[in-house]
Amino acid sequence: MLLENDSQTSAHLPVTGRSPKTDLAKVKVYMDEHYDEPLSIADLAHKANISAKYFVDLFKKTYGQSAMEYLTDLRINRAKRYLKETGYKLREIALRVGYSDEYYFSRKFKKEVGVSPSDYAKNARKRIATCSSSIIGQLLALNVMPVAAPIDPKWTAYYYNAHRTEIQSHLRLTDPYTSLRFEANVERLVHIRPDAIVGTDQIGEQDQAKLAEIAPCCFVPKYHLDWRAQLRMIAAFLEREEQAEQWISVYNQRVEKARNSVQQKVGREKVIVVRVYGHHLYLYRNPGIEEVLYNNGLQLETYPDVQTNTPLTLEQLAALNPDRILVMVCPEAASRAYWLSLQHSPVWRQLKAVRQYQIHLITGDPWFDYSAVGVMRMLDEALLIFTGYCPNVYLDNVHGDSRAT
């Protein structure tokens, strides 16, 4: 029996007894297979056995974007492949991805990607390499899949799992903790012969000179520029400025939306990040945490006068007594053992955040990845932590299957 004020809602309920999400999944598969055909909301709603208005609302709630936005992504991503991998004319590509008007397709492509189809085709065939793992997320934001990059299943797990089959040559990580030699990467790049190489100024001058002999290079300052400035510098080098500005604009919009949602849940509560390393606690901050949680990001409340990245005793933490704690436990054995023992400590168990079940475990991935993709993923994770909901549209919507090979 429906209550009187439920009559409006009932008009949008499924017209059959089947689960609307089940039918919605089938419609999504149908869109994947028939993106090149004329598809309307009315037709898709009929296939889902629900009203058009309910279909629109349910699709966006379920997948984080509207059905038409999802259809556009399918078409544009397929068009990218045609532009990179075939010699089809623009009109033929437009027809193959569901657009009858090549001029409308061209305008739509530029709006979505940031460059015209012809410019995309020209740049997409450039073979870009990076010898710095922190640059991978910048290149992906520019719709560039590097032909070579240092990825590793342990230290760069996200990029390894998501893109190991697309990155043709896996270089070796050369950060100090891996004790690997950079010369091996130089030798591989000589054989790969990329059109351009992007890295950071952490690469020594002698190694930079070796790389410059292989291809034109761009080395961005790792610690003296924020991710936006780094992205713009790389974009200027690769002639992808519009894509950089498009990414930054989307990120800023998502930050503003996320900030409103998070602050409704968190309010004026104090939020800190604690790192467990060895047998010590640290009130931890890095550029990504500063960017996303505080400053220009979610603007959460914290303790601005407390020194960070120095050892913090359990008694000092108890004196702060924050409302929420994000805990990052280093993966080696000593840190894990200390974290387990810490949870049995009476002082720890009396913390307000512990008693109110506001302890959230985070990991180095993505919270060490200070890149355009990294901060977008941090924002998604923070939204999930603080609100319990995140559409996670980044992987399906922004990058798609673009690559520069």
Side-chain angles (χ1 to χ4, degrees), residues 134-144 159 220 226-231 234 370-373:
S134 60
I135 296 297
I136 300 173
Q138 303 289 42
L139 293 178
L140 294 181
L142 298 174
N143 279 314
V144 172
Y159 296 114
V220 300
D226 67 11
W227 70 267
R228 292 176 180 82
Q230 289 181 2
L231 186 68
I234 297 169
Y370 189 57
S371 69
V373 166

Side-chain angles (χ1 to χ4, degrees), residues 317-337:
L317 179 59
L320 295 175
N321 206 19
D323 300 284
R324 296 173 184 256
I325 304 176
L326 277 60
V327 180
M328 181 183 292
V329 182
C330 293
E332 38 73 49
S335 300
R336 294 199 303 268

Side-chain angles (χ1 to χ4, degrees), residues 106-126:
S106 183
R107 293 194 299 272
K108 187 72 171 176
F109 188 95
K110 184 170 184 178
K111 178 182 178 183
E112 296 296 323
V113 180
V115 295
S116 68
S118 58
D119 286 342
Y120 179 84
K122 179 180 69 175
N123 288 326
R125 294 188 178 98
K126 289 183 178 178

Side-chain angles (χ1 to χ4, degrees), residues 266-317:
V266 177
R268 306 289 293 181
E269 293 179 356
K270 291 286 198 303
V271 180
I272 66 169
V273 179
V274 169
R275 189 180 185 192
V276 179
Y277 181 64
H279 298 285
H280 296 284
L281 298 176
Y282 297 83
L283 187 61
Y284 185 66
R285 303 281 272 274
N286 65 27
I289 289 171
E290 291 279 4
E291 165 78 28
V292 174
L293 298 185
Y294 309 112
N295 296 353
N296 299 320
L298 300 179
Q299 298 179 359
L300 299 175
E301 296 287 334
T302 188
Y303 303 92
D305 299 327
V306 178
Q307 190 172 5
T308 59
N309 303 331
T310 57
L312 179 75
T313 67
L314 197 51
E315 289 70 26
Q316 289 172 323
L317 179 59

